[in-house]
Amino acid sequence: MINIDFDNINDELVYKAFGVDGNEVDALNDIYLELFELIGKDAMLKLFKHFRGDKIDCPMRLYRPEYIADLAKPVVDRRERAKIARAGGYSAKVIESILNKRRRENEAE
């Protein structure tokens, strides 16, 4: 018999009451099973609580191009700038484009 205190319910208590620990493959929906395997139970439950029902769209790049451009700006050597751009997931052309656009905007002021 499942014993749940419905006055003090939370996802962790339900997880325990339903006997999910060790039975995740059978119990969890596919996406939550994948998250469980990638980041663990606590982080998966945190994501479930915060985002459930929402569609999460994860961009291909972790960093904003403007941030990478700020990092590359003080670097004079274009090859070194290109390395910074690639490390951030961007092409040197994209980062140079942002820097050139900023330069033109500053000159126009």
Side-chain angles (χ1 to χ4, degrees):
M1 172 153 218
I2 297 172
N3 185 13
I4 300 175
D5 178 2
F6 289 101
D7 293 326
N8 296 309
I9 198 167
N10 68 41
D11 297 319
E12 181 68 37
L13 292 173
V14 172
Y15 196 92
K16 185 176 181 179
F18 283 5
V20 177
D21 226 353
N23 296 312
E24 286 82 7
V25 171
D26 295 326
L28 297 175
N29 277 318
D30 292 342
I31 188 64
Y32 292 111
L33 178 60
E34 190 171 343
L35 287 170
F36 169 81
E37 291 170 344
L38 284 171
I39 61 177
K41 180 181 85 170
D42 293 338
M44 181 267 303
L45 287 173
K46 187 180 256 185
L47 283 171
F48 170 74
K49 182 177 183 177
H50 188 76
F51 291 110
R52 73 173 164 210
D54 290 347
K55 180 181 176 189
I56 300 174
D57 182 24
C58 298
M60 293 293 294
R61 295 175 184 92
L62 183 59
Y63 307 105
R64 294 175 182 265
E66 296 82 8
Y67 183 78
I68 302 302
D70 289 341
L71 293 175
K73 184 178 180 180
V75 177
V76 178
D77 184 357
R78 285 185 175 273
R79 287 178 294 219
E80 291 302 312
R81 276 189 180 177
K83 289 178 186 177
I84 293 169
R86 281 193 304 275
Y90 294 93
S91 69
K93 184 177 179 180
V94 168
I95 299 307
E96 291 297 330
S97 163
I98 291 170
L99 293 172
N100 288 334
K101 179 181 175 190
R102 286 180 179 171
R103 219 174 286 122
R104 286 191 304 273
E105 288 172 353
N106 287 338
E107 289 170 0
E109 292 177 354

